[in-house]
Amino acid sequence: MNNLRPVGIIGTGKYVPEKILTNSDLEKMVDTNDEWIVSRTGIKERHIAAPDQATSDLAYEAAIKALESAGMTGSDLDLIIVATITPDSSFPSTACILQDKLGAKGAAAFDLSAACSGFVYGLATATSFIQSGMYNNALVIGADCLSRITDYTDRNTCVLFGDGAGAVVVGEVPEGRGFKAFDLGAEGAGGSLLNIEGGGSRLPASAETIENKKHYIYMNGREVFKFAVRVMGTATIEVLRKAGMDRTDVDLFVPHQANVRIIQSAMQRLELPEEKVVVNVDKYANTSAASIPLALVEAAEEGRMKAGDTVLMVGFGGGLTWGASVLVW
Ligand code: UT7
């Protein structure tokens, strides 16, 4: 990527809905307890969308802030990518809904489905378009309303998820800065470990699919955990190799926020000290595609990155998929 036009992040924004669901609230809903949730996952609370909020509404709030911080308006955009597994509806895409709301007339707009890896997939896509000269300014958003696809009678999953959105404007940056490498991948054979079976062309919605709870997230937690620990390590090492760097070059590690134990295992493998790692899973839980941008934008707002710092983002999720990037801030 070294000889191409330098492309990086030029604006950031995030949004989480107001309502907070705590572990003690969940204790009243299913057979669980704060001690189990905190010790097994690190999660203390999560934000939940209001009944009249859909994914595009969360994405819009984050997008407005990202545009403002880039000193732009919707009309400056020529590409909008929304990474999500909870679009407002099957179609039109959530990106098209946003294109209209943001006044991004004529901008290309599409949704990207790579679950929790979606934001990094989106960054790689936008970067490639801009490096090729096809577009100049792209809005990349990770947004999900997981509360809408969570079974709040299933303690195995309902304690894990939350809602939110994170947005960045991707565009040309000064020489030496920007994205240095991406590593994207998938293991489709593991698709059934984390999925929603109903509502698609294989198993369309019916009274039976509703009765059998086929519209909620199913997850084999232990198997996904093993996959996560493995690919967090391998994808991180691979993306650093592609960037011509090693773990000692990393100033800030921004991992997908699914479980603090998965993050800790990556920290140990990469020998990263706590101050170089962003952890906010305690406040937001797993927000799927929103998780990495929420962590990145929060770190930026807290002044944890300075110009020239090397930021490593890495995510994994349904598909199964993974995505990692090295960015010079
Ligand atoms: O972003 C998408 C990727 N998703 C993930 O990264 C999730 C990856 N997986 C995980 O984070 C973990 O596997 C979980 C947090 C989902 C589960 O943790 P675990 O240490 O793997 O627990 P487990 O599934 O082995 O379950 C241990 C026990 C079980 O009881 P038995 O069978 O040992 O009697 C569960 O029934 O804990 C029980 N359990 C609970 N107990 C209280 C499961 N959920 C709960 C709960 N409260 N909420």
Side-chain angles (χ1 to χ4, degrees):
M1 280 172 65
N2 286 345
N3 301 323
L4 299 166
R5 188 183 179 196
V7 174
I9 289 176
I10 55 177
T12 58
K14 71 173 191 346
Y15 175 78
V16 287
E18 256 172 54
K19 186 185 164 186
I20 292 175
L21 184 69
T22 65
N23 289 352
S24 78
D25 294 331
L26 283 161
E27 284 175 4
K28 292 169 202 132
M29 296 159 68
V30 287
D31 179 16
T32 190
N33 56 79
D34 178 61
E35 197 278 326
W36 191 96
I37 302 172
V38 173
S39 65
R40 296 294 181 116
T41 71
I43 299 165
K44 293 180 181 153
E45 56 189 38
R46 64 291 284 145
H47 291 248
I48 302 293
D52 63 349
Q53 281 181 314
T55 296
S56 71
D57 300 314
L58 313 191
Y60 176 77
E61 298 295 334
I64 288 291
K65 289 179 194 155
L67 285 170
E68 202 179 292
S69 91
M72 289 184 184
T73 65
S75 60
D76 295 310
L77 295 171
D78 32 33
L79 173 65
I80 299 173
I81 300 174
V82 177
T84 187
I85 51 165
T86 50
D88 288 22
S89 57
S90 300
F91 74 94
S93 68
T94 301
C96 282
I97 295 168
L98 274 178
Q99 190 249 22
D100 178 42
K101 272 183 142 180
L102 293 169
K105 262 199 171 158
F110 61 90
D111 288 359
L112 192 157
S113 174
C116 311
S117 315
F119 181 70
V120 179
Y121 266 66
L123 291 175
T125 309
T127 298
S128 305
F129 272 126
I130 297 170
Q131 281 174 336
S132 76
M134 186 158 165
Y135 296 124
N136 290 311
N137 298 314
L139 181 65
V140 178
I141 304 175
D144 267 306
C145 263
L146 293 184
S147 62
R148 298 289 151 77
I149 54 168
T150 296
D151 177 1
Y152 285 97
T153 65
D154 175 12
R155 71 174 184 172
N156 289 299
T157 53
C158 76
V159 302
L160 303 173
F161 303 122
D163 302 337
V168 297
V169 180
V170 177
E172 191 164 353
V173 293
E175 207 59 54
R177 310 256 293 271
F179 288 104
K180 298 296 168 190
F182 288 99
D183 183 55
L184 309 180
E187 278 180 19
S192 61
L193 296 174
L194 177 53
N195 69 352
I196 291 186
E197 264 189 280
S201 56
R202 178 72 60 196
L203 192 62
S206 66
E208 198 184 338
T209 61
I210 292 169
E211 169 90 6
N212 293 327
K213 301 189 168 188
K214 296 294 185 190
H215 301 276
Y216 290 128
I217 299 175
Y218 162 80
M219 181 169 71
N220 179 330
R222 275 181 214 185
E223 288 306 314
V224 175
F225 191 99
K226 283 188 226 161
F227 168 78
V229 167
R230 172 164 56 86
V231 300
M232 287 276 271
T234 52
T236 302
I237 289 162
E238 181 57 14
V239 79
L240 282 169
R241 189 195 62 74
K242 286 184 183 172
M245 296 180 178
D246 68 35
R247 57 170 190 78
T248 60
D249 293 308
V250 177
D251 296 302
L252 199 69
F253 184 64
V254 186
H256 171 42
Q257 308 285 315
N259 186 323
V260 77
R261 287 155 55 213
I262 296 171
I263 298 173
Q264 280 161 353
S265 82
M267 280 166 64
Q268 277 160 12
R269 178 147 178 200
L270 301 163
E271 296 175 56
L272 287 171
E274 248 173 55
E275 64 272 14
K276 287 191 175 185
V277 180
V278 182
V279 178
N280 63 12
V281 68
D282 53 323
K283 291 189 291 184
Y284 305 126
N286 182 348
T287 55
S288 192
S291 144
I292 291 179
L294 274 178
L296 179 80
V297 176
E298 191 158 275
E301 287 170 357
E302 288 170 358
R304 291 183 70 179
M305 289 103 94
K306 55 180 189 318
D309 276 359
T310 297
V311 178
L312 198 153
M313 293 178 245
V314 58
F316 56 88
L320 300 168
T321 55
W322 70 84
S325 69
V326 171
L327 167 70
V328 175
W329 190 252

